[in-house]
Amino acid sequence: TITEEKIIVEGPEGPIEVTFTPPVKQPDGSYVVTGEIPPGVDGTVTVTVPDTSYEDESGNSGEPATGNGQVDTDVPTATVTIQPNGDIVIKYPNDTNPDSIDTSTITFTDKDGDPVVVDLTPSTDGKTFTGKVPNGNDTDITVSIPTGSYTDVTGNPGAQVDVTEPVDTVAPNVDIDITPNGQITLTFEDDTVPSTIQTGKITVTDKSGNPIVVEFVPSQDDPLVLVGRVPEGTETGIVVTVPAGSYQDDVGNKGTLG
């Protein structure tokens, strides 16, 4: 008689509930019961078979037995980081088998569920991948890694991971207004960071391309509005150029040519 319910299983965090199958007779006359350690165990597991858990056909109690071994049934879980500027980093746990990672199953979608194309670049060890949301997106981005699209070195399938964060990869713009009396007003978009505006790179030239010295200063009411005036005595067509990258928004997108 074998009472498999009396078999004791201890893990690194204490007792583990394991359901054993009923005894199965083998060709040599012995009996085998089997059980499976549940997910979430990583460490030494000890199995104890008490003398009261089985007996022979004459009613003699069996000898107690103990065995142990290293077990890992932890489900590996990747981490996903999405920065406001669209930078994406996917990190897999250290015990992930790099050859098991299938990045083709990873999806990137916007707030409407439409796909967004993001190219991923692996690290040297193949366990970290980086990518960037293309320019022109101002939306929530969801990165989804399917269950089983990666495994650890013992074969445990990886967990499903879904992360959603707002992303802005739209380059800020500047509006340029020139009045006939020579006043120049530069109005930067609301998400521009005033401290990133490099006024020293703004150029003003006449119709022949000759430089005109104009000092730009923030308006009293709004630091995102710069004003300047063409020197008196100037009568010509003028061109005001705000170079691309001479200002940035609050997530680091470089401004467009103005």
Side-chain angles (χ1 to χ4, degrees), residues 198-218:
Q198 303 175 57
T199 56
K201 292 186 176 182
I202 300 171
T203 61
V204 180
T205 56
D206 62 20
K207 63 183 179 181
S208 299
N210 299 310
I212 298 174
V213 177
V214 176
E215 181 182 2
F216 290 95
V217 296

Side-chain angles (χ1 to χ4, degrees), residues 104-165:
S104 69
T105 62
I106 300 173
T107 60
F108 306 87
T109 53
D110 62 18
K111 64 182 179 182
D112 297 320
D114 296 322
V116 177
V117 177
V118 175
D119 294 324
L120 294 175
T121 302
S123 60
T124 303
D125 66 2
K127 297 179 183 179
T128 299
F129 293 79
T130 57
K132 187 172 181 64
V133 176
N135 291 337
N137 286 280
D138 188 2
T139 182
D140 289 345
I141 294 291
T142 298
V143 179
S144 296
I145 304 176
T147 301
S149 62
Y150 57 104
T151 64
D152 63 17
V153 293
T154 59
N156 296 307
Q160 171 88 20
V161 177
D162 298 290
V163 176
T164 301
E165 294 290 350

Side-chain angles (χ1 to χ4, degrees), residues 30-135:
S30 63
Y31 289 85
V32 172
V33 299
T34 59
E36 186 171 350
I37 303 297
V41 177
D42 187 4
T44 301
V45 171
T46 301
V47 179
T48 301
V49 180
D51 57 1
T52 59
S53 65
Y54 68 108
E55 60 183 26
D56 63 18
E57 57 188 15
S58 300
N60 298 307
S61 295
E63 290 290 332
T66 300
N68 59 63
Q70 291 295 314
V71 170
D72 177 10
T73 61
D74 262 346
V75 176
T77 303
T79 60
V80 177
T81 303
I82 307 173
Q83 299 293 343
N85 67 353
D87 288 339
I88 296 174
V89 178
I90 300 173
K91 290 186 177 181
Y92 292 88
N94 289 333
D95 63 347
T96 301
N97 176 7
D99 295 334
S100 73
I101 299 173
D102 184 4
T103 57
S104 69
T105 62
I106 300 173
T107 60
F108 306 87
T109 53
D110 62 18
K111 64 182 179 182
D112 297 320
D114 296 322
V116 177
V117 177
V118 175
D119 294 324
L120 294 175
T121 302
S123 60
T124 303
D125 66 2
K127 297 179 183 179
T128 299
F129 293 79
T130 57
K132 187 172 181 64
V133 176
N135 291 337

